[in-house]
Structure formats: structure tokens, C-alpha cells
Amino acid sequence: MPKRSPDHVEDARKQRAPSSAARPTPDAPTSLLGGLSPAQFMKQYWQKKPLLIRQAIPGIEAPLSRDELFALADSDDVESRLITHFRKRWSLEHGPFGADELPTPKTRQWTLLVQGADLHDDRARALLERFRFAPDARLDDLMISYATDGGGVGPHFDSYDVFLLQVHGKRRWRIGAQRDLSLQEGMPLKILANFEPEEEWVLEPGDMLYLPPHIAHDGVAEGECMTCSIGFRSPSTSELTNQFLYWLAERGADDAAQPGAKGGKSALYRDPDQPAVAHPAQLPPALVERVAAVLAKVRWSDGDVSSFVGSYLSEPKANVVFDAPEKPLDEARFVARAAKSGIRLDRRTILLYDARSYYLNGEQYLLREARKWLPALADNRFLDGKRFVTLSHDSCVTALLHEWYCAGWIRTGELA
Ligand code: SIN
Ligand code: CO
């Protein structure tokens, strides 16, 4: 069966804009967190201990139907995995999966995981709005899993903070705060060697379980079910160090490439005092000393760290491609449309800011005049028509926003 193109998948789904009304304010108690305010939740549970919340989102429906999820898993630019546990053997396959490549819903003990659903569907992205009491810089993605009776991914742990929201059918979760996180050897996926559950619940649609990193857990479907995992990444110190040093090196290369930079000559290693050697293969201790002296001079400022963090954490995932509008409006028409319907960030756009800069999809720009409007656009992911009209008096702003619109980073359009 031919694979459906991403465009086909796109057309097949209703596209709705995110609703900023769903974003909880820090001090307001919310049923999403079992009556706690986000401020209380962050203080008492975030990164500390699990929390089970019954009816966090009463009446919730899966953001995508089963068939829509399967269609997504059939697309080349979507990360999907099929995990089966047939005859007590774990197996893992990576997508895309054609409709005839998945077991039937009547077959027991399989699960389909679709990563980054928020990047591909506005309804999935809208669900994330509810979780924006935690910083966007920590957000990873929304994964949607579909499982048949008895399906799951086995007992494991994650290095993520995760909210496991049941959106269809039932799933039995068992969790434990065990120290022994050793894994079974020779498995195609991470399965704990000695899972020791301490607590157990059956989650129904609307129920949610928050788990901090490294809590052992196992979720098994009771009948057909769907679960949304809202994941927050915690980059490891080695990832941050590697990426920062890489960023620093790249920036150094850019500086040296600047015309008139003094870098060229002084940046060369020099050894005018090197004597002739009888053992050419021996590493000269003086060379190591010189390199150590050069490295000791590597300096960076807090500003460099902010630039790196903002750029790195606003970088879209490798598989993200922005769709430019098919027939882009010219600037005047764009301004007229946006004045009526407002503008919103595309669901794939990551826009962060600090006191000095903003970071748009991995690039840093100085805030300057944009400080008057950009933080509101970044926090709400939307600016209404009225606000846009006040901005439209400045032709630099409309030119900039029109550029973003042509690149597919923002769209015109109302909130749902
Ligand atoms: C699932 O939704 O099936 C697995 C999610 C998880 O355990 O992290
Ligand atoms: Co997990």
C-alpha cells in the first residue's frame, strides 16, 4: 500500500489554533493539578515525587482519533515506534508504518508510540497550553500512545518529568521509587531487570499521573486505550557541556572569520624554542604545557551562557520543517488580515526571550524595540487584531512579522 504523504495527513485533520485560555496562572488552584495551584505543585511535587490526579481534565477526548494517529504514524516526518510483547518476547520497530504494517486492534499486547504529536497537529499542540506553568525551555513534546489489551512498553524509567494523561480507555500503572535501575540485557528496549512496584492505580479518561525522572513505572492497557505523555526534558550535564563547548568553538570560528580580526596570526600554535629531537614520536611536554596555557585562557561571560541556552533550547527538533504559506499574502494584505484576526505562532515555533534577546527557532536576536510586544507574543503564542493594529503603525515591525509569516513561523488566525 502506498504511503500517504505528510500533506495528505495534514489535509485529513481539522486544524485548530491553540487556546491560551487553557494556560493556568501560577497561583490559581486548578483541577488539572488536583486542586493545587501550579505554584504549590512546583514546590511540592515537581522533580520531587509522583502525584496521581483523578479527573485532571474531566471529559477529555483523545486529541487525535485512533485512525488519525495511525495516519500520522504512516508519515515519513513523524517519529513512531511499534512495541509488541507477543509470546512474552519484547520487540521494537521504528516507523513509518503503512496501514497494513500494524497489527489489528483485535490483536492483544501491542502499542504504537507517536512522538512529537504537537508538531503535527494543532489539537495536540493545544493540549500543551495547559502545562505552560512550567517553562517552555523545559518542554519536550507530546507523545501519544495507542495500546491494545495488555499492551505497554514494559517496566522502565525515564530521564524526563512526565505527565501521563489517560485520554481513552483504561491503563493500570504500577510505580516504584527503587534505587536499582539496572536493565535487562539483550533487550531491544529499556526493561528494568528487577521492577519492584510500590503503588498501583487504574487510570480512566481524564486521570493523570505525574512522574519525576527515574521513577520506575509500568503501564499496561486494560482493553484498548490511549495515553498522552507530556514530557519535559532535563538535559544531562554532559550534553550541556558538550553543546556549550561546541557553540563556543563555532562562535570563536565566526569571530576569527571577521575581517580585521586579530585571530589569524596569534591563534596559531608557535614553538620557536623547540630543540631538535632524537625521539620524533614522543609528545613534547612543552607542547602540552602550551596547550594547557591556551585552554586556561578560554573565557566566557554570563551573556555567552544566556545566548547559548536560548539558542540551544529554542532549536526545533531535527525533523521539523516549517511550511511556508502556499500563496503568501503580500505585506499590505498580511497586515489587513492580521489586523482582523491577529497572529499566532505556528505550532512548531519555539520563541523564548530574556532581558536582552529573543531566541526564535534556534537563532538569537536582540530585543531592542521588540521588547514592547514580543514577550506577549511569546508567552501567549498569540496577539489579537487590536494589539496588532497598534504595532502596524511601525513599518519595521510589520516587515519583520511579514517575513516570519512568509517563513511559516507565524500564521494569521484566531484562537479556537
Ligand atoms: C506509554 O504511554 O505507553 C508509555 C509512556 C511511558 O511509560 O513513559
Ligand atoms: Co515511561
Side-chain angles (χ1 to χ4, degrees), residues 153 156-158 162 164 173 211 217:
V153 302
H156 66 284
F157 66 93
D158 298 305
V162 68
L164 297 157
W173 284 102
L211 297 178
H217 55 285

Side-chain angles (χ1 to χ4, degrees), residues 310-333:
S311 311
Y312 182 56
L313 296 181
S314 67
E315 237 169 60
K317 292 194 177 183
N319 60 348
V320 168
V321 182
F322 287 92
D323 302 321
E326 246 174 56
K327 286 188 193 142
L329 302 169
D330 63 21
E331 192 177 324
R333 287 202 176 92

